[in-house]
């Protein structure tokens, strides 16, 4: 006689009985912070894929900061007309140009939101269970990814020109955080303006109108002490000034108010995400 067939393992029987229960029990909801991180990560991956497939934007955007360093920086280093606390003017200028190039990338990020609205992508994103703040934060820090790539290019140009930059890994991680936070604020500012004006042409005009005042109304080109009183007040309210101050302290090792700088940038990014999230639904109507 043949042997009796072996009984099926208990584990498989348990898994078979558990399978129908999975059809009726919804999956556990992920915490909000995990949802935000997942959205931010997805947006950052998308931006990296765009840069990998089309590097022309990276090359063209490197022209303007290179000209600032090569022409403006080299010239004013020879003139020595601006007091910089004993460091060469080119060294003093380099962190300001890093912040400027990052701001120029982020300040027009709202155009992409309007394009997504026109193509129907934004409506599809808004019907997902993802919170609006997570969507805005993901897009804001995705703009920061582009800005970090741009910052690496500017740092490389500055190093070739002989700027005495630090290569301490901890300080460089701080530079990444500063660029991310600054870009997050300016991209959220752009998305907020997009939620108000609703069209690309108006957004482009407003963006071009505010970029130069933000740049010249900061400490990117000259110390705050040289400014008239009213411009000093503008500079103290300008998040770009705190971004530049943090970059100078991290990259050059000079005195900076890093705790204040990071605090202002975190607060500015939080306010920007809140305001852009509030206007995102208006943009999608």
């Amino acid at each position: 006689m043949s042997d009796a067939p072996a009984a099926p393992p208990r584990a498989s029987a348990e898994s078979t009985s558990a399978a129908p229960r999975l059809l009726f029990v919804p999956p556990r909801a992920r915490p909000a912070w995990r949802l935000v991180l997942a959205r931010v990560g997805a947006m950052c991956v998308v931006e990296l894929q765009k840069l990998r497939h089309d590097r022309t934007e990276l090359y063209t955007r490197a022209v303007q900061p290179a000209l600032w360093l090569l022409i403006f920086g080299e010239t004013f280093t020879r003139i020595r007309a601006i007091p910089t606390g004993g460091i060469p003017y080119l060294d003093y200028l380099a962190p300001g140009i890093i912040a400027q190039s990052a701001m120029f990338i982020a300040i027009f990020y709202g155009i992409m939101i309007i394009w997504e609205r026109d193509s129907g992508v934004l409506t599809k994103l808004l019907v997902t269970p993802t919170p609006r703040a997570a969507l805005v934060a993901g897009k804001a820090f995705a703009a920061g990814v582009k800005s970090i790539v741009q910052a690496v290019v500017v740092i490389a140009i500055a190093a070739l020109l002989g700027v005495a930059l630090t290569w301490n890994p901890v300080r460089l991680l701080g530079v990444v955080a500063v660029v991310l936070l600054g870009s997050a604020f300016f991209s959220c500012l752009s998305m907020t303006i997009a939620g108000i004006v609703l069209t690309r042409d108006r957004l482009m005009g407003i963006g071009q109108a505010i970029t130069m005042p933000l740049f010249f109304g900061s400490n990117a080109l000259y110390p705050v002490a040289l400014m008239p009183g009213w411009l000093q007040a503008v500079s103290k309210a300008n998040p770009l000034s705190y971004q530049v101050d943090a970059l100078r302290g991290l990259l050059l090792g000079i005195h900076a108010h890093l705790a204040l700088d990071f605090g202002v940038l975190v607060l500015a990014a939080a306010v920007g995400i809140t305001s852009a999230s509030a206007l995102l639904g208006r943009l999608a109507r």
Side-chain angles (χ1 to χ4, degrees):
M1 295 178 64
S2 60
D3 296 336
R10 180 177 298 179
S12 61
E14 292 178 354
S15 61
T16 303
S17 61
R21 291 200 302 267
L22 294 177
L23 298 176
F24 300 99
V25 179
R28 296 177 61 183
R30 289 189 296 177
W33 64 270
R34 289 185 61 184
L35 201 60
V36 172
L37 290 180
R39 176 60 62 183
V40 171
M43 293 296 176
C44 291
V45 169
V46 169
E47 293 302 327
L48 287 174
Q49 289 177 344
K50 290 179 182 179
L51 290 175
R52 187 183 64 180
H53 293 301
D54 185 9
R55 297 183 177 90
T56 55
E57 181 183 1
L58 179 62
Y59 301 144
T60 55
R61 288 189 180 275
V63 173
Q64 185 174 4
L67 291 177
W68 273 101
L69 291 173
L70 287 170
I71 299 176
F72 195 86
E74 292 283 0
T75 301
F76 275 77
T77 298
R78 296 174 181 271
I79 295 176
R80 298 180 181 178
I82 300 177
T84 56
I87 64 174
Y89 182 73
L90 185 61
D91 295 24
Y92 182 87
L93 179 66
I97 299 305
I98 293 173
Q100 177 223 42
S101 60
M103 180 189 69
F104 281 11
I105 290 175
I107 203 68
F108 294 105
Y109 207 76
I111 296 176
M112 184 177 297
I113 295 292
I114 296 177
W115 178 86
E116 290 182 352
R117 187 271 313 273
D118 295 340
S119 62
V121 175
L122 184 60
T123 303
K124 295 177 181 178
L125 290 175
L126 289 177
V127 299
T128 64
T130 305
R132 292 183 181 181
L135 289 172
V136 171
K139 292 182 177 297
F141 286 103
V145 173
K146 284 187 175 181
S147 299
I148 290 172
V149 176
Q150 184 71 25
V152 171
V153 174
V154 178
I155 290 174
I157 296 172
L160 291 174
L161 293 175
V163 176
L165 301 173
T166 182
W167 301 107
N168 186 314
V170 177
R171 289 182 173 270
L172 292 178
L173 285 176
V175 170
V176 170
V178 169
V179 174
L180 273 176
L181 289 171
S183 299
F185 167 72
F186 288 113
S187 61
C188 286
L189 176 62
S190 179
M191 287 186 275
T192 300
I193 297 173
I196 297 172
V197 301
L198 302 178
T199 63
R200 278 175 282 186
D201 293 337
R202 292 176 183 175
L203 176 60
M204 181 67 72
I206 295 175
Q208 291 175 345
I210 66 176
T211 47
M212 283 303 158
L214 284 170
F215 179 49
F216 288 109
S218 71
N219 58 352
L221 299 178
Y222 30 69
V224 177
L226 298 180
M227 302 178 184
W230 65 270
L231 190 56
Q232 290 185 19
V234 172
S235 178
K236 291 178 180 179
N238 186 355
L240 187 66
S241 296
Y242 299 92
Q243 185 180 6
V244 173
D245 185 67
L247 289 174
R248 285 201 179 108
L250 292 168
L251 287 173
L252 303 179
I254 63 177
H255 175 70
H257 309 86
L258 291 179
L260 176 63
D261 297 334
F262 273 98
V264 171
L265 291 174
V266 169
L267 178 62
V271 171
I273 291 173
T274 302
S275 61
S277 302
L279 292 170
L280 195 63
R282 183 175 184 268
L283 186 65
R285 291 174 188 169

